[in-house]
Amino acid sequence: MTVARRSLLMVMALCVVLTAPVRASAEGVLIFAAASLKTALDQIAADYSDKTGGEVTVSYAASSVLARQIQLGAPADLFISANVQWMDVLVRDGLVDASSRVDLLGNYLVLIGVPAQAEAQIDAALDLNARLDGGFLAMALVDAVPAGIYGKSALQELGLWADVEGRIAQADNVRAALALVATGAAPLGIVYGSDALAESRVSVIGVFPSDSHPPIIYPAAATRNADPQAFAFLTYLQTDTARAVFEAQGFTLPQS
């Protein structure tokens, strides 16, 4: 194993530890939220607590990990997924209150690198292998985590997947993929636009065409046995105050 490969694996392992979900037993509302929401949702939860006195604890990880934890009985009050499929699974299983479900946010997909990287148009003519220069393309798990699923879909649609399939550094969630690029362990990565905005050590090289992948939608819903306060917080997430924070952090809002 080369030194570069060993270093990459060590950083990925550290990212898993730092971003793993926390099983909390705090008073108040426990939110399970997609890792890409962290910067915005931390601020919104703090603002909500200041205004209402209600305590909010947020556990972040990949939507797939959180959904499986809920299936195993984790005591979440509210689930915010980065794609509709994992929410659909919990609705099918009767583990969320389907009547509370809302399409909360949207996002977009970007290719990132260090600030010195030149911008590029993301299309079928892009030579990703040349850009990688022997390194790896950081992505969330391409068959389980929403950001990875969207990224793989976009690369396949543009005819780029076959060229880089063997050069993918898969991370447990999108923030872990972001960290691989930010720390220099990977030269390029595919993340959400909101993630790129949250990390000053990376820059956006290009934006993937919106028609190259399924629409990126963040559904939110209270769980079957949610604390009543969860419904109040879900309502707060849809206020102009909360939406302004989401927009400032790069998320898009659903069309009214």
Side-chain angles (χ1 to χ4, degrees), residues 20 59 72 214:
S59 182
L72 292 172

Side-chain angles (χ1 to χ4, degrees), residues 134-241:
F136 290 82
L137 177 65
M139 298 177 65
L141 293 169
V142 298
D143 293 321
V145 177
I149 294 171
Y150 292 129
K152 180 179 178 180
S153 175
L155 292 173
Q156 288 176 325
E157 179 67 22
L158 296 172
L160 302 175
W161 177 250
D163 293 337
V164 298
E165 184 176 2
R167 307 297 303 174
I168 306 296
Q170 297 191 56
D172 270 16
N173 60 64
V174 69
R175 284 298 173 101
L178 176 70
L180 291 177
V181 180
T183 58
L188 299 175
I190 297 177
V191 300
Y192 298 125
S194 58
D195 296 304
L197 191 63
E199 175 53 76
S200 62
R201 292 174 294 176
V202 306
S203 63
V204 173
I205 293 173
V207 179
F208 283 86
S210 60
D211 59 0
S212 67
H213 56 80
I216 300 172
I217 298 171
Y218 288 70
T223 59
R224 182 177 57 192
N225 298 314
D227 186 292
Q229 295 179 70
F231 295 91
F233 185 69
L234 179 56
T235 298
Y236 182 78
L237 291 175
Q238 300 169 70
T239 64
D240 290 342
T241 300

Side-chain angles (χ1 to χ4, degrees), residues 52-182:
T52 68
E55 186 172 347
V56 177
T57 302
V58 189
S59 182
Y60 299 102
S63 301
S64 54
V65 172
L66 297 173
R68 287 170 183 148
Q69 285 207 345
I70 292 172
Q71 287 177 316
L72 292 172
D77 296 300
L78 188 67
F79 177 49
I80 311 176
S81 174
N83 74 355
V84 297
Q85 284 79 12
W86 282 112
M87 185 65 78
D88 288 345
V89 167
L90 296 188
V91 169
R92 180 202 66 201
D93 292 346
L95 296 173
V96 299
D97 179 353
S99 67
S100 70
R101 179 175 176 171
V102 295
D103 287 341
L104 188 65
L105 299 166
N107 215 323
Y108 56 102
L109 208 60
V110 298
L111 180 68
I112 59 168
V114 295
Q117 283 265 15
E119 293 183 4
Q121 183 171 335
I122 309 298
D123 56 25
L126 178 64
D127 190 344
L128 269 179
N129 269 321
R131 287 269 187 160
L132 288 171
D133 192 25
F136 290 82
L137 177 65
M139 298 177 65
L141 293 169
V142 298
D143 293 321
V145 177
I149 294 171
Y150 292 129
K152 180 179 178 180
S153 175
L155 292 173
Q156 288 176 325
E157 179 67 22
L158 296 172
L160 302 175
W161 177 250
D163 293 337
V164 298
E165 184 176 2
R167 307 297 303 174
I168 306 296
Q170 297 191 56
D172 270 16
N173 60 64
V174 69
R175 284 298 173 101
L178 176 70
L180 291 177
V181 180

